[in-house]
Amino acid sequence: MNVEAHDRRFIVLMLAPIFLFLVFFYGYPTALNLYYSLTDLSLLGMKEGGTYVGLEHYADLLTSKDFYRTLWNTLFWLTGVSVVIRLVLGLGLALLLNSATLKRYRLTTISRLLLLVPWATPPIVAVVVWRWLLDGRQGMINKFLMNIGVIDEPVAFLANVNTVWPALITIIVWNTLPLVTLTFLAGLQSVPDELHEAAEMDGAGPIHRFFHVTLPHLMPSIVIMGLLLVFWTFNNFIYVWLATGAGPGLFTNVLATDIYIKGFVDFHLGYSSAVGMVMAGIMAIFGVIYFRLVALREFKDVL
Amino acid sequence: MTFKFTAAATAIALFASGAVWADSNIIFRFNDPESEAMRAALDEFEVENPDISVELQSFAWSEARQQFLREAAVGEGPDVVHIAFVWPRDLGTAGALYPLNEFWEEAPLQAGYDDFIASNLAIGADGGIYGVPWTTDTWAMLYRTDIMEDAGITAPAKNWDELRDISRTIHEETGKIGFGFPAGSGVQSTIWFLANYYWWSNGSALVKADGDGFDVGITEAQIAEAMEYFDSYMKEGHNPQSMLGVTDWYDPAIIEGMTNGDQGVAIVPPQQAREIIAAYEKRHPGEEAPFISAMVPAGSEASSTHLGGRMLGINSNSDEPEAAWKLIEFLTRPEIIAKYYGNQFPAQQTPLAQIDFGATMSGFAEQLAVARTWGAYSDGPAQIGSMWNETGRMFGSAFIGERSYDEAAEELLNTVKDMLDK
Amino acid sequence: MASVFTRNKEGGGHAIRRNPYATVALLVLTFLVWIFLVFPVVWILIGSVRTSETLFSTTSFDFTLDHYKTIFRAGFGRFIANSLFVCLIAVVISTVISVMASYVFSRKRFRGKRWLFGSVILGQMFPWIILVTPLFVLFAKIGFLNSYIGLIASYVAISIPFSVYLLVGYLESVPRELDEAATMDGCTQFQTLWTIVFPVMLPGVVATATYSFLLMWTEFLFALAFLTRTNLKTMPLGLVQFFGEQNVDWGAVMAASAVTTLPALMIFLPLQSKLAGGLTAGAVKG
């Protein structure tokens, strides 16, 4: 057997399992979803199947006012704002943990350990506990804020249109910030000391050093982390659904909860599949951009 | 090789031996938290029917319907299912439930078909009977008598305006929450019940029978009026804004508020009323709990609430419908319900009439006497679940000012019309 | 070593040490961050040992372990065991498959590689919620409902893309000379991967496996749809079981929450330093 054929057999053998998983768990369901999205299939009529309605659901979707609000919620609030906040806070917290002061008082290790607590908390639990804390009547946060006189009347954080998104984002940040922080901390600790020393010799102050030494060094981590957060958050269903149920009204509805509401609450599987396809489509566009701009560079030795 | 084969055969035989004694194995999916007590009931059933063994499953109510529909469509699922009063019709039409007509003819249950409450809800569009009413209840008002006294109120509200006056007075006189109701718009919102009680007592209904078909039985103005009425509680501040974030009638905010006396009035099913009273008694041992129950207010017509409850159905895929029917017969016996499932009332007229509700809970007894079924709501082509969700969303939307009352009312009305036209 | 010493003495700490206000401010800030991080979990722990009657009361507090008894009587121990079983098997399968694939992606050149690697990577962005109904229909046909095979396979499927992504990144830090030397010594490719390269990439594999585990440990939607038999249920299902329609057993929810969080925390403690670095290791290096 020649080397090339041998090599080919090895490659096929090693990739066969992942390929099978891709086909059965991504390819096949996506194709079936695409088909569903062209029918009026209902959960009540799954036995008979749906009738073909063509692009009707897509037309309905693209002309519905609620859909654009849902899209905006998903892109701006759920994904955009929450990711930016986590990156900024994560960086700040990493700098704090890496600061000489904390090191001097030996607080870095314990801080790192405490960071594990929210990270290890399952999202379902995180939402449950924050719902209590943010509760408008019995919630600790309201009681605390009233005691110190910041507010006179309790605020229903998860029901008030002015506070519901910040409250939701607080929950998401609490649960996922540790990962971001620890990643950046690892990055900070890999900044060669020589770089700082050289900059210091040149008379650079801490701010100058941050922008010209630390930040450039961390930039690849920040970009990758940002992208991972976007992927994870955009598709996330659990935070919004359990915290607000997409309410008040449909004020915090996002694409993932819309799929759930349309498909599993209202039973319109066809329509829900159409929303799902739109969602997958948006992610695919995003994915291609990511692939061209970042992955090709990130994996330049691979591809 | 031979050895291996023998070993495998033995293993299979051993594995199966659990089932050797019972001729039928059936699965009962029960969605309430009392699964421990229910298991005890099933044990008694198995003693009575040694040829049948029952596996108990539990499932969250919020996901129960979609899960069962999926399962039934692909030939899976439990044999006996625990379903809400308003589901059997849809589930029957979807082919998910087994028609029980023959069973009713051959082996009628308890005091007979006519003794069961709301059994009309079990009849599908094709005339099939798809469920057996199991338990029933309705909602009533619960008042804190001590807070009423502090606010100088002597009697519970007879109509909706009085209720709002009482609520306002409590807030003005004591600084407490008056009538604290969940105004949230999540799935299975409480506001759906309140809105319907309000409409029914004022002579309208979201859905009414119209000759052979169905139509909306309400105008945009009447919907908007209900939105404005309930919104006024939040606007005036005696039901706090925070209740916009509360969807469930069993939310701790209400249970705790009523228990610790932050809130004067609530609307609850009997189970929550008992829970509140029990919590109060536990915190104040020896004291008499300061609660009375009373009827839901009347409008231009008499007070009216829905007859809620649960049914039992048989999966259309069941291999053991006879065994399943035996189990249903056992579970609907009033004495079994009383023994193992005491929080609930049997959905049968004769045993229900014999229950002593006691003085505190007498409002529930009065209310039960006038409660109505969903009637046209469940007979018509629109699914109650969808109308329920849409109502919650539109009320929520109006409450937060996202839509005006008129806009929200119009949208709700049109959505329901669309559903009825299908 | 010398440089670190120097910097601590005269470098980083220098500016701050001269300013006591800044030091105090930083310490206060750190303390506030600590509260933010742990308060919710502490609150769960406290709530889980309060009696149901005083759970939401601000004035009284009665200690009890009843909630823990309740959840274990309701089979929570079984749910944890089930979850561990499903997640551990799925993690092993997912990691082995991902190691194999990432090795080939990292070391081999072949036609269609960009497409294949690209689609694996895109899998990370896939909205899994749209998989539920199609997979349910598929599993019903082949008898995978109420069977761990279906659930495990789904968990492998959802964790593969991220695992491959992490491992390919990690493999970039493993010198190619290592493989070449092994081949020279007469190892087959298979041997090279498992006996030479795999031990070197083990830290990356451990980090990857941990991420996969966490993803599966809290997964809810698939488990809900695919498992209905009580004795098969996994922990997240056990947790939501305490949310009844008419009432929620908040004490049990809190106790179950505490028990749910603990295993993940125990995995984290020894691994914490390896986990965070691994995420962008490839990126930082590349």
Side-chain angles (χ1 to χ4, degrees), chain C residues 95-96 99 167 170-171 173-174 178 193-210 271 274-275 278:
Chain C
T95 311
V96 168
V99 166
L167 287 171
Y170 197 84
L171 268 171
S173 66
V174 177
L178 200 67
L193 167 56
W194 292 111
T195 60
I196 310 293
V197 179
F198 184 75
V200 180
M201 64 189 287
L202 202 56
V205 171
V206 170
T208 307
T210 310
L271 292 176
K274 293 197 177 58
L275 286 180

Side-chain angles (χ1 to χ4, degrees), chain B residues 27-324:
Chain B
I27 297 175
F28 171 37
R29 181 177 293 163
F30 172 71
N31 306 334
D32 274 344
E34 293 96 336
S35 54
E36 249 177 281
M38 197 47 61
R39 182 65 253 174
L42 295 179
D43 291 343
E44 188 179 326
F45 174 76
E46 286 174 346
V47 170
E48 207 180 292
N49 297 278
D51 56 332
I52 304 173
S53 78
V54 189
E55 179 186 325
L56 181 66
Q57 267 185 11
S58 59
F59 210 82
W61 270 115
S62 55
E63 321 286 341
R65 193 152 76 126
Q66 47 141 320
Q67 180 68 17
F68 181 64
L69 279 168
R70 268 197 297 251
E71 289 171 335
V74 297
E76 295 275 334
D79 298 276
V80 177
V81 270
H82 193 192
I83 51 183
F85 260 22
V86 292
W87 296 0
R89 197 177 170 281
D90 292 345
L91 296 184
T93 311
L97 289 172
Y98 191 90
L100 307 171
N101 306 45
E102 279 183 27
F103 285 127
W104 270 115
E105 278 163 32
E106 285 160 21
L109 304 176
Q110 317 318 334
Y113 183 79
D114 292 334
D115 201 44
F116 280 81
I117 283 173
S119 44
N120 64 319
L121 287 177
I123 301 173
D126 59 357
I129 301 171
Y130 291 107
V132 177
W134 192 22
T135 58
T136 191
D137 60 33
T138 193
W139 296 21
M141 309 298 298
L142 190 68
Y143 292 84
R144 283 278 299 220
T145 45
D146 51 347
I147 295 177
M148 283 169 75
E149 218 166 283
D150 290 346
I153 297 159
T154 48
K158 288 193 188 56
N159 59 48
W160 294 102
D161 288 336
E162 271 183 49
L163 181 63
R164 183 163 50 188
D165 291 342
I166 288 178
S167 180
R168 193 187 298 122
T169 311
I170 288 176
H171 189 64
E172 280 166 4
E173 296 296 319
T174 66
K176 294 181 171 179
I177 294 163
F179 173 37
F181 60 87
S185 48
V187 173
Q188 308 205 323
S189 61
T190 303
I191 201 74
W192 160 254
F193 297 105
L194 288 169
N196 277 295
Y197 298 169
Y198 186 86
W199 292 329
W200 294 347
S201 67
N202 282 300
S204 57
L206 203 53
V207 185
K208 64 165 193 204
D210 180 27
D212 291 339
F214 295 89
D215 200 0
V216 289
I218 197 163
T219 64
E220 220 177 281
Q222 285 168 314
I223 295 179
E225 185 200 319
M227 288 174 171
E228 194 173 356
Y229 172 79
F230 288 110
D231 199 16
S232 67
Y233 283 77
M234 275 86 75
K235 290 262 154 43
E236 293 175 17
H238 35 100
N239 186 31
Q241 288 286 326
S242 63
M243 293 301 272
L244 284 171
V246 176
T247 292
D248 307 317
W249 52 95
Y250 51 84
D251 194 279
I254 295 164
I255 307 288
E256 176 62 24
M258 287 298 286
T259 308
N260 70 18
D262 282 346
Q263 172 177 336
V265 189
I267 186 164
V268 282
Q271 209 180 332
Q272 268 62 55
R274 286 176 174 157
E275 199 181 316
I276 290 165
I277 294 166
Y280 182 92
E281 284 169 346
K282 208 145 191 180
R283 274 188 221 172
H284 305 88
E287 281 178 44
E288 197 181 326
F291 295 95
I292 51 160
S293 58
M295 286 184 76
V296 169
S300 59
E301 293 176 22
S303 163
S304 182
T305 54
H306 80 290
L307 203 51
R310 304 283 177 242
M311 296 208 193
L312 295 170
I314 298 179
N315 188 337
S316 58
N317 303 310
S318 174
D319 296 329
E320 307 275 0
E322 286 83 15

Side-chain angles (χ1 to χ4, degrees), chain C residues 2-282:
Chain C
S3 70
V4 173
F5 187 66
T6 320
R7 203 166 83 81
N8 268 350
K9 217 172 168 190
E10 293 164 36
H14 199 66
I16 294 161
R17 195 188 301 168
R18 265 197 234 140
N19 186 345
Y21 295 109
T23 306
V24 170
L26 276 184
L27 291 179
V28 169
L29 187 62
T30 309
F31 185 66
L32 290 177
V33 169
W34 285 4
I35 292 180
F36 174 70
L37 291 177
V38 299
F39 181 75
V41 172
V42 169
W43 201 72
I44 290 180
L45 290 175
I46 294 174
S48 72
V49 294
R50 296 177 75 172
T51 54
S52 300
E53 289 74 30
T54 61
L55 196 53
F56 295 98
S57 159
T58 40
T59 47
S60 49
F61 176 99
D62 290 337
F63 179 84
T64 178
L65 285 176
D66 281 353
H67 302 309
Y68 288 92
K69 288 182 198 147
T70 305
I71 63 167
F72 284 103
R73 220 174 30 230
F76 213 68
R78 178 71 189 252
F79 301 148
I80 292 174
N82 289 345
S83 264
L84 281 173
F85 178 79
V86 169
C87 295
L88 288 178
I89 291 186
V91 163
V92 170
I93 297 175
S94 153
T95 311
V96 168
I97 291 178
S98 303
V99 166
M100 284 163 40
S102 57
Y103 181 72
V104 170
F105 280 133
S106 167
R107 297 301 199 251
K108 300 289 173 191
R109 301 204 164 274
F110 55 93
R111 237 179 318 139
K113 180 168 161 181
R114 268 193 187 195
W115 277 102
L116 199 55
F117 187 62
S119 41
V120 174
I121 298 297
L122 288 190
Q124 284 183 72
M125 312 163 194
F126 202 80
W128 299 322
I129 187 169
I130 74 173
L131 299 180
V132 173
T133 305
L135 284 181
F136 186 89
V137 173
L138 175 70
F139 285 177
K141 279 187 193 137
I142 53 181
F144 279 2
L145 293 180
N146 273 317
S147 129
Y148 284 152
I149 302 176
L151 192 67
I152 288 173
S154 317
Y155 284 2
V156 171
I158 59 171
S159 64
I160 278 179
F162 187 56
S163 297
V164 171
Y165 167 84
L166 280 184
L167 287 171
V168 171
Y170 197 84
L171 268 171
E172 290 307 285
S173 66
V174 177
R176 284 178 165 71
E177 292 76 31
L178 200 67
D179 313 34
E180 283 154 21
T183 318
M184 296 278 203
D185 289 346
C187 288
T188 64
Q189 306 205 56
F190 201 72
Q191 285 170 332
T192 307
L193 167 56
W194 292 111
T195 60
I196 310 293
V197 179
F198 184 75
V200 180
M201 64 189 287
L202 202 56
V205 171
V206 170
T208 307
T210 310
Y211 282 112
S212 302
F213 181 84
L214 280 179
L215 183 70
M216 302 167 184
W217 182 246
T218 57
E219 199 287 327
F220 172 69
L221 276 180
F222 288 140
L224 180 79
F226 302 156
L227 304 176
T228 53
R229 302 204 122 160
T230 308
N231 57 356
L232 292 178
K233 283 184 175 176
T234 55
M235 208 189 44
L237 296 181
L239 182 66
V240 294
Q241 194 167 297
F242 299 111
F243 293 84
E245 194 200 27
Q246 294 284 340
N247 50 15
V248 177
D249 188 346
W250 293 112
V253 168
M254 297 234 208
S257 298
V259 173
T260 309
T261 307
L262 214 61
L265 200 57
M266 277 170 3
I267 294 175
F268 268 137
L269 277 176
L271 292 176
Q272 50 122 349
S273 54
K274 293 197 177 58
L275 286 180
L279 206 54
T280 56

Side-chain angles (χ1 to χ4, degrees), chain A residues 199-262:
Chain A
E200 221 171 327
M201 292 276 209
D202 296 343
I207 292 169
H208 186 265
R209 269 184 287 146
F210 172 76
F211 280 106
H212 289 89
V213 178
T214 314
L215 202 56
H217 185 83
L218 277 183
M219 215 51 207
S221 292
I222 295 173
V223 171
I224 304 294
M225 195 70 235
L227 285 163
L228 288 177
L229 288 178
V230 168
F231 304 155
W232 293 337
T233 318
F234 181 86
N235 291 322
N236 195 290
F237 156 82
I238 223 88
Y239 292 112
V240 173
W241 185 249
L242 293 184
T244 66
L250 285 173
F251 190 80
T252 54
N253 201 16
V254 292
L255 287 173
T257 51
D258 204 41
I259 292 177
Y260 193 85
I261 291 174
K262 296 283 168 20

Side-chain angles (χ1 to χ4, degrees), chain A residues 67-282:
Chain A
F67 175 72
Y68 290 100
R69 217 234 337 248
T70 306
L71 197 62
W72 170 254
N73 281 344
T74 315
L75 292 174
F76 179 76
W77 283 111
L78 179 68
T79 312
V81 175
S82 90
V83 168
V84 170
I85 287 183
R86 278 178 285 176
L87 291 178
V88 171
L89 285 183
L91 190 58
L93 207 50
L95 286 170
L96 177 67
L97 297 193
N98 200 42
S99 72
T101 310
L102 257 66
K103 282 182 183 158
R104 188 145 38 89
Y105 289 98
R106 300 188 187 284
L107 297 176
T108 306
T109 308
I110 179 153
S111 301
R112 289 180 64 132
L113 291 180
L114 293 181
L115 271 173
L116 301 182
V117 171
W119 193 10
T121 307
I124 301 178
V125 176
V127 174
V128 167
V129 64
W130 276 97
R131 272 184 61 169
W132 282 321
L133 294 175
L134 294 167
D135 185 84
R137 284 177 61 178
Q138 314 291 343
M140 290 291 289
I141 292 177
N142 267 310
K143 284 182 181 159
F144 174 74
L145 290 178
M146 276 162 73
N147 279 339
I148 63 169
V150 175
I151 51 175
D152 300 326
E153 267 201 8
V155 181
F157 293 103
L158 286 169
N160 184 317
V161 290
N162 297 316
T163 55
V164 62
W165 272 115
L168 263 171
I169 288 170
T170 305
I171 302 175
I172 298 174
V173 166
W174 180 80
N175 205 197
T176 53
L177 184 65
L179 173 65
V180 185
T181 307
L182 289 173
T183 301
F184 289 163
L185 192 58
L188 279 178
Q189 285 164 344
S190 72
V191 180
D193 288 322
E194 292 77 22
L195 287 180
H196 275 293
E197 281 159 22
E200 221 171 327
M201 292 276 209
D202 296 343
I207 292 169
H208 186 265
R209 269 184 287 146
F210 172 76
F211 280 106
H212 289 89
V213 178
T214 314
L215 202 56
H217 185 83
L218 277 183
M219 215 51 207
S221 292
I222 295 173
V223 171
I224 304 294
M225 195 70 235
L227 285 163
L228 288 177
L229 288 178
V230 168
F231 304 155
W232 293 337
T233 318
F234 181 86
N235 291 322
N236 195 290
F237 156 82
I238 223 88
Y239 292 112
V240 173
W241 185 249
L242 293 184
T244 66
L250 285 173
F251 190 80
T252 54
N253 201 16
V254 292
L255 287 173
T257 51
D258 204 41
I259 292 177
Y260 193 85
I261 291 174
K262 296 283 168 20
F264 301 150
V265 176
D266 293 347
F267 298 164
H268 301 307
L269 281 183
Y271 193 90
S272 148
S273 298
V275 180
M277 293 314 295
V278 170
M279 189 167 172
I282 293 173

